[in-house]
């Protein structure tokens, strides 16, 4: 029996006075890339924030079947969720601008106890993003937007994710960086990573994703394989800019 | 160098050391919780009275200095855990009022317990000697304050800039949300910042008492205010700024007293505040800040 890595069931979430997620149910299996697409304000980021513990849901379960056995993430604080292996790479990169590039990467490794493995993994991140090795001693705020995104991803990788939550990795980036970021996502998948991806660039997200969910006003309205969704007429009209 | 100039330099450095030690804690606390902690000066008072009590109980001086650090840290951590933590996320005005309330509470609690009477605070005889070197001399107390401050500041800078805890503190100061997503236990990290900053205030209380010879329950107001000014001069929230602001303020005060005709000497604070206003007019973000800090 292959239980999903993450199973969200009947999740309801309020943000201030607004009810932003309604009975949200979705699951992610090991090794999958799952894309969550939807308009601005549909509840995509809120979903990720509920998974990583930044927002407390009103009701529902978020079952994570990680290395430490099955746990309900809705009961855990964000720092415990990171330690369990669910790593959230937030929207807008959120790097520490005044810290050096190296310090930012080491912050990713903050909660880890297996510190003897860090040098090798740091090398691996430097291989994925050579610019981070070149700029190791510079303040992270001096990097360009695309480099900052690489730093944010490298930092997340050093948290040793079992499940990686990526919130709008391509937002505001130049095309050559977007390609680079998606290359890395592909590469991570080939190494067995499991990823939940939010993207405003729905076409690219569905192309790379094994499966996708469409979120509208806090409700899942459609689900299917990435290819199926990319062919779906409604999805094409609403999210892929297809007028025909 | 003439004895007069040397004496002025030592006075300025010694006063500046005290301001810098207190200002660093102020700055660390502001940096991590974005609150001006008006009770920080009262931690100085707590450190001074705790030191006096220990001396009277016969605790050796080296031990008193260590314990002044510990007691200052304990006072600051208690304030954080009891007052600031429950109010986390409240508006800045609420936090501001709360720190004022804590300050009034500590001052009046101390008045109640200790009475408002001034107490004599005397360092042991060897600290009150003068040391001479190549034709100039200075009081042992001032030399000890300057040296001890340098050591403490070096230790603090090492912890903040070279250790995992310090990196987590800087990360939390800059972006609390991202720090939580990195698995940083933010409450413990904030507690550590209060502890470290307040430890310096605690031992500054001991040194303040020894330098000026008298302590009382309201003595925290002056160092608290001066440290706040030092932070504003240097750039609020920056440790380096607080450090330089503290020394600059100490030197400036001594300079005013030295340069002004004697009948103006008691107005030195007037000149200090004039200096502050001029600096704020010219460089509102502080002398040592490169830019006004961005907050996401």
């Amino acid at each position: 029996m292959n239980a999903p890595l993450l199973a969200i069931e009947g999740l309801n979430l309020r943000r201030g006075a607004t009810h932003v997620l309604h009975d949200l149910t979705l699951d992610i299996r090991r090794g999958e890339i799952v894309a969550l697409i939807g308009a601005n304000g549909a509840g995509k980021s809120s979903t990720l924030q509920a998974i990583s513990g930044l927002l407390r849901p009103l009701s529902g379960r978020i079952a994570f079947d990680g290395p430490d056995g099955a746990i309900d993430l809705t009961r855990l604080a964000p720092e415990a969720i990171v330690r369990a292996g669910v790593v959230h790479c937030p929207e807008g990169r959120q790097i520490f601008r005044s810290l050096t590039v190296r310090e930012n990467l080491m912050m990713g490794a903050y909660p880890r106890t297996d510190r003897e493995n860090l040098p090798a993994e740091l090398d691996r991140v430097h291989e994925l993003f050579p610019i981070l090795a070149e700029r190791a001693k510079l303040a992270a705020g001096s990097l360009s937007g695309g480099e900052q995104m690489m730093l944010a991803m490298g930092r997340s990788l050093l948290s040793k994710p079992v499940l990686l939550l990526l919130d709008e990795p391509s937002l505001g980036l130049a095309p050559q960086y977007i390609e680079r970021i998606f290359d890395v996502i592909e590469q991570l998948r080939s190494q067995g990573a499991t990823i939940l991806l939010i993207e405003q660039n729905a076409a690219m997200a569905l192309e790379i994703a094994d499966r996708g969910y469409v979120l509208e006003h806090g409700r899942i309205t459609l689900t299917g394989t990435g290819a199926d969704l990319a062919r779906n007429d409604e999805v094409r009209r609403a999210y892929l800019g297809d007028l025909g | 160098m003439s004895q007069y100039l040397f004496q002025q330099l030592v006075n300025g450095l010694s006063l500046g050391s005290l301001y810098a030690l207190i200002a660093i804690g102020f700055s660390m606390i502001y940096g991590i919780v974005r609150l001006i902690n008006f009770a920080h000066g009262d931690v100085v008072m707590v450190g001074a009275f705790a030191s006096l009590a220990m001396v009277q109980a016969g605790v050796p001086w080296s031990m008193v200095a260590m314990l002044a650090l510990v007691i200052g840290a304990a006072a600051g951590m208690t304030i954080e855990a009891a007052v600031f933590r429950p109010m986390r996320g409240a508006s800045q005005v609420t936090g501001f009022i709360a720190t004022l309330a804590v300050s009034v509470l500590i001052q009046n609690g101390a008045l109640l317990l200790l009475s408002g009477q001034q107490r004599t605070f005397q360092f042991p005889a060897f600290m009150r000697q003068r040391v001479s070197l190549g034709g100039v001399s200075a009081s042992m107390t001032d030399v000890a304050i300057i040296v001890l401050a340098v050591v403490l500041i070096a230790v603090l800078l090492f912890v903040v800039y070279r250790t995992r805890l310090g990196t987590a503190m800087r990360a939390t100061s800059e972006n609390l949300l991202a720090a939580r997503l990195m698995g940083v236990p933010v409450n413990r990290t904030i507690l550590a910042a209060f502890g470290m900053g307040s430890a310096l205030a605690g031992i500054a209380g001991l040194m303040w008492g020894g330098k000026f010879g008298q302590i009382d329950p309201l003595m925290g107001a002056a160092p608290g205010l001066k440290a706040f000014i030092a932070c504003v001069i240097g750039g609020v929230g920056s440790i380096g700024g607080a450090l330089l602001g503290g020394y600059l303020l100490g030197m400036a005060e001594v300079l005013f007293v030295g340069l002004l005709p004697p009948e103006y000497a008691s107005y030195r604070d007037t000149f200090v505040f004039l200096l502050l206003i001029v600096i704020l007019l010219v460089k509102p973000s502080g002398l040592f800040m490169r830019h006004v800090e961005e907050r996401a």
Side-chain angles (χ1 to χ4, degrees):
Chain A
M1 179 62 215
N2 198 355
L5 181 61
L6 187 88
I8 301 180
E9 266 172 53
L11 194 69
N12 282 281
L13 185 85
R14 194 186 288 283
R15 219 175 177 158
T18 331
H19 197 147
V20 287
L21 295 178
H22 302 268
D23 286 322
L24 186 103
T25 293
L26 68 78
D27 56 60
I28 302 168
R29 294 189 283 267
R30 264 162 256 271
E32 270 188 328
I33 294 180
V34 172
L36 190 57
I37 61 175
N40 276 337
K44 297 173 304 208
S45 288
S46 298
T47 306
L48 290 204
Q49 286 171 5
I51 299 173
S52 59
L54 292 178
L55 294 176
R56 286 262 162 259
L58 293 173
S59 64
R61 273 167 50 80
I62 303 176
F64 178 64
D65 191 15
D68 308 327
I71 41 177
D72 184 356
L73 300 185
T74 58
R75 295 171 201 285
L76 296 182
E79 53 261 36
I81 292 175
V82 180
R83 255 178 260 129
V86 178
V87 177
H88 182 171
C89 185
E91 184 179 358
R93 307 183 285 267
Q94 309 285 342
I95 57 156
F96 303 109
R97 302 174 62 87
S98 65
L99 273 56
T100 65
V101 169
R102 167 64 62 83
E103 284 174 335
N104 267 274
L105 291 174
M106 292 323 282
M107 281 309 295
Y110 183 85
R112 290 177 55 173
T113 47
D114 58 331
R115 308 193 75 77
E116 66 279 3
N117 299 332
L118 284 183
E121 283 179 46
L122 195 60
D123 286 348
R124 206 184 122 220
V125 167
H126 283 161
E127 249 167 63
L128 283 175
F129 306 111
I131 191 81
L132 299 183
E134 279 169 43
R135 306 271 156 95
K137 296 219 161 109
L138 296 182
S142 70
L143 300 181
S144 73
E147 291 164 354
Q148 289 184 11
M149 187 61 224
M150 294 180 189
L151 178 57
M153 280 188 79
R155 185 178 66 174
S156 295
L157 293 181
L158 281 171
S159 303
K160 210 180 179 181
V162 175
L163 171 66
L164 179 61
L165 312 172
L166 278 177
D167 195 344
E168 301 279 14
S170 79
L171 193 67
L173 297 189
Q176 76 267 25
Y177 284 123
I178 297 181
E179 220 163 283
R180 181 92 189 83
I181 296 288
F182 273 86
D183 278 352
V184 171
I185 296 174
E186 293 260 23
Q187 213 173 324
L188 291 175
R189 187 222 331 246
S190 69
Q191 292 163 4
T194 306
I195 295 170
L196 176 57
L197 172 68
I198 290 183
E199 250 309 323
Q200 32 90 39
N201 190 333
M204 280 190 92
L206 290 176
E207 192 184 322
I208 199 176
D210 299 296
R211 290 187 303 121
Y213 288 88
V214 177
L215 197 57
E216 265 176 57
H217 304 299
R219 288 186 173 81
I220 300 279
T221 51
L222 262 177
T223 176
T225 66
D228 283 347
L229 288 179
R231 277 194 299 268
N232 182 289
D233 285 341
E234 266 177 69
V235 174
R236 291 174 72 91
R237 247 195 323 276
Y239 306 108
L240 303 180
D242 190 338
L243 303 172
Chain B
M1 197 188 296
S2 74
Q3 170 64 29
Y4 176 77
L5 271 179
F6 182 74
Q7 185 61 53
Q8 297 299 316
L9 183 70
V10 169
N11 285 346
L13 281 178
S14 146
L15 193 61
S17 297
L18 292 175
Y19 290 159
L21 284 179
I22 304 166
I24 287 176
F26 222 103
S27 196
M28 286 179 77
I29 290 169
Y30 178 82
I32 208 154
V33 291
R34 304 282 141 179
L35 280 177
I36 303 286
N37 178 13
F38 280 102
H40 194 61
D42 301 304
V43 176
V44 176
M45 182 272 290
V46 170
F49 271 94
S51 301
L52 182 63
M54 286 187 284
V55 171
Q56 284 170 348
V59 180
W61 277 95
S62 56
M63 199 66 168
V64 171
M66 296 285 277
L67 287 173
L69 284 167
V70 174
I71 288 166
M77 287 159 88
T78 306
I79 294 172
E80 146 64 11
V83 183
F84 290 132
R85 183 175 304 174
M87 302 194 6
R88 200 98 74 227
S91 77
Q92 262 197 328
V93 177
T94 313
F96 174 84
I97 300 291
T99 77
L100 274 179
V102 173
S103 172
V104 172
L105 186 75
I106 296 176
Q107 287 178 6
N108 286 280
L111 279 173
L112 212 63
L113 275 171
L114 307 162
S115 90
Q117 204 190 345
Q118 294 243 337
R119 312 289 173 98
T120 308
F121 190 107
Q122 247 186 358
F123 271 155
F126 78 90
M127 287 285 278
R128 284 177 280 136
Q129 289 164 355
R130 294 189 71 79
V131 282
S132 350
L133 191 94
V136 290
S137 71
S139 93
M140 188 69 187
T141 299
D142 285 333
V143 174
I145 288 174
I146 294 167
V147 172
L148 190 55
V150 168
V151 172
L152 289 169
I153 289 166
V155 170
L156 181 100
L157 291 179
F158 177 82
V159 173
V160 171
Y161 288 99
R162 286 286 177 274
T163 67
R164 181 162 170 261
L165 173 67
T167 311
M169 274 182 196
R170 284 181 292 132
T172 307
S173 292
E174 190 186 314
N175 190 334
L176 190 124
L177 180 105
R180 297 194 82 184
L181 288 180
M182 300 296 111
V184 174
V186 290
N187 278 336
R188 283 214 318 259
T189 307
I190 291 172
L191 195 65
F194 268 84
M196 284 164 56
S198 304
L200 296 185
I203 198 163
L206 162 64
M207 297 193 239
W208 192 280
K211 183 172 168 60
F212 298 107
Q214 282 194 320
I215 62 176
D216 68 84
L218 303 181
M219 65 177 276
L225 188 61
K226 292 294 173 60
F228 176 53
I229 295 169
C231 284
V232 173
I233 290 175
V236 185
S238 132
I239 292 181
L243 197 62
L244 294 167
Y247 281 107
L248 195 71
L249 183 63
M251 293 303 284
E253 272 191 33
V254 169
L255 205 68
F256 283 136
V257 174
L259 290 179
L260 294 169
E263 59 268 32
Y264 288 112
S266 55
Y267 294 107
R268 68 175 181 187
D269 282 352
T270 314
F271 292 94
V272 167
F273 283 98
L274 267 178
L275 177 73
L276 175 71
I277 291 171
V278 171
I279 289 176
L280 286 181
L281 284 174
V282 177
K283 211 156 179 303
S285 58
L287 285 182
F288 306 105
M289 295 291 264
R290 252 164 274 135
H291 55 88
V292 178
E293 203 173 333
E294 295 172 46
R295 284 282 279 177

